[in-house]
Structure formats: structure tokens, C-alpha cells
Amino acid sequence: AQSVTQLDSHVSVSEGTPVLLRCNYSSSYSPSLFWYVQHPNKGLQLLLKYTSAATLVKGINGFEAEFKKSETSFHLTKPSAHMSDAAEYFCVVIPEDGSQGNLIFGKGTKLSVKP
Amino acid sequence: DTAVSQTPKYLVTQMGNDKSIKCEQNLGHDTMYWYKQDSKKFLKIMFSYNNKELIINETVPNRFSPKSPDKAHLNLHINSLELGDSAVYFCASSQGGVDTQYFGPGTRLTVL
């Protein structure tokens, strides 16, 4: 069965410093991977997705993620954190039997940004 | 215009009651979903539905039932509410497969 593991439940950075949110996946074939963001008391918004095209995926708000098959990783990065980036981030995979597109979510990483 | 909308945003009710949450999407998508987010922020699929097939997560109690009056709506009915049903429920829609899912704003259900 496919799954994703978010290695950090909480990441704290200072404004203007780089952000790294780590995600590893398990899959017997090339998966479809996503990062979603949830701001406090808000719904979920897609940041970016990987579906076997370019391994470096650029998303909204300056975020990007790199698919590394050899490391089974899909880490999310941003060169410079902004206060508005403080939110919960979810790494997501679509299971092997993806005909209905059911998403499997990681447990989330809470990003805090200090002034 | 909101792409995926849910009503109500907040729902507070007593144990044992029956309640419904409505979801509507104006994106013309074929597939709609319900997810549950627990108090630890963990999100889990409950149902996915298109006009051909309903797929139910096996862990979902049969007190929960999705109802789709048309392609743009997938409502969630919950019978005999229990304390453990308290959570945030998200509706989503997509064209199916690996296409991007668009989420509604969520409905926070509190069972007293």
C-alpha cells in the first residue's frame, strides 16, 4: 500500500530564512504526489503536484518540490520564508488503484515563522 | 464565485441526532469526495463518488451516507451522531484520477 511520511511534525524558521519540509513516500511504482497547505481555520489549497513530468516542480507562493526516486522523497522548499507561510502543510499521494483519485495524506507539518 | 462550497460552516448538535452537511461544486467536475480531519489534523478519505461509482472507505461507519442529487452536489448524512464524530469535514471535487482536487472550506462538527 502506498503511504507518505512527513518527517517533522513541527518546523520553526525565522522570516527570510529557507524552508524545508520533508516527505518520504512508499510506492511500488511512480506515484502522483502533492503538497497542500492549510492556513488556520481555512480549507486546503494545492501548492504543487508531481505527476511524472519534470522532477522539479514549482508551485504557488515561491514553493517548489523535487521528486527523487532514489531517495523516495518529495521535500518541499522555499528560499525565503514569509510570515504568511505559517500554516499546516500536508504531503499527499494517490494510491495505486487511483481510478477514483482518493488522496492519502501525511500527518502534516506545522510551519511556524518567527519575525 | 466559490468553486467548492459547504454548508453549514459550523454545526453543533447533541448525541443521537441526525444531521446533514451540504456540498456543491461549480467546476463541472465528475468526481466528488468527503474527507474527515480529526483533532490532530489528520485527514482521511471517507467517500469518493462519480456518476458511476461510490467507493466507501471500509473504516467509515454505516451511519454515514453520501447522497448525490446531481453531479454538482454530494451531501453527507450522518445518523445517530456520536461524540467521536466531532471533526472537521471537507468536501472536494476533481475530474477524477490524478487531477487536482479542490477543497471546500470545511464544516466543523461538534457533538455534545
Side-chain angles (χ1 to χ4, degrees):
Chain A
Q2 287 187 292
S3 66
V4 287
T5 302
Q6 291 183 245
L7 299 166
D8 306 293
S9 59
H10 189 195
V11 169
S12 183
V13 301
S14 297
E15 191 174 21
T17 63
V19 175
L20 170 64
L21 304 183
R22 299 183 294 165
C23 174
N24 286 101
Y25 68 90
S26 66
S27 173
S28 57
Y29 73 113
S30 186
S32 294
L33 293 158
F34 307 76
W35 276 98
Y36 278 84
V37 61
Q38 184 179 25
H39 286 94
N41 299 314
K42 299 281 187 184
L44 291 138
Q45 182 183 21
L46 179 71
L47 276 179
L48 48 83
K49 69 176 181 180
Y50 167 77
T51 53
S52 71
T55 56
L56 182 62
V57 183
K58 293 189 184 297
I60 61 172
N61 301 335
F63 284 94
E64 61 183 38
E66 186 171 8
F67 175 75
K68 291 187 177 180
K69 188 174 181 178
S70 60
E71 298 176 9
T72 61
S73 69
F74 190 57
H75 301 334
L76 182 71
T77 60
K78 182 173 180 178
S80 176
H82 192 272
M83 295 296 291
S84 61
D85 294 328
E88 192 89 22
Y89 291 80
F90 294 94
C91 183
V92 181
V93 67
I94 287 187
E96 291 181 11
D97 180 14
S99 58
Q100 283 284 66
N102 296 346
L103 303 180
I104 294 176
F105 283 79
K107 293 193 174 181
T109 298
K110 182 177 181 179
L111 176 64
S112 300
V113 182
K114 297 174 288 188
Chain B
D1 283 341
T2 304
V4 182
S5 60
Q6 296 178 228
T7 53
K9 189 170 182 180
Y10 299 97
L11 182 55
V12 181
T13 189
Q14 300 285 336
M15 267 197 317
N17 285 349
D18 302 337
K19 289 293 178 185
S20 296
I21 305 172
K22 294 185 177 181
C23 177
E24 177 180 3
Q25 55 96 2
N26 62 8
L27 298 167
H29 287 160
D30 291 326
T31 307
M32 296 182 72
Y33 312 82
W34 277 104
Y35 291 85
K36 179 180 180 180
Q37 185 175 43
D38 63 22
S39 58
K40 295 184 179 179
K41 300 281 189 182
F42 184 56
L43 277 144
K44 196 169 184 180
I45 184 74
M46 298 178 71
F47 305 99
S48 62
Y49 181 77
N50 63 23
N51 56 10
K52 300 173 189 174
E53 191 176 13
L54 170 67
I55 294 183
I56 303 171
N57 185 312
E58 60 188 14
T59 66
V60 175
N62 59 14
R63 298 180 294 103
F64 290 78
S65 58
K67 298 273 192 318
S68 181
D70 56 57
K71 186 177 151 179
H73 297 82
L74 184 66
N75 304 325
L76 182 64
H77 297 271
I78 316 169
N79 294 326
S80 303
L81 277 156
E82 300 178 358
L83 293 176
D85 298 333
S86 296
V88 181
Y89 293 84
F90 287 98
C91 176
S93 74
S94 81
Q95 289 288 23
V98 299
D99 282 347
T100 299
Q101 292 189 20
Y102 294 86
F103 283 78
T107 295
R108 182 174 294 275
L109 171 66
T110 303
V111 182
L112 304 174

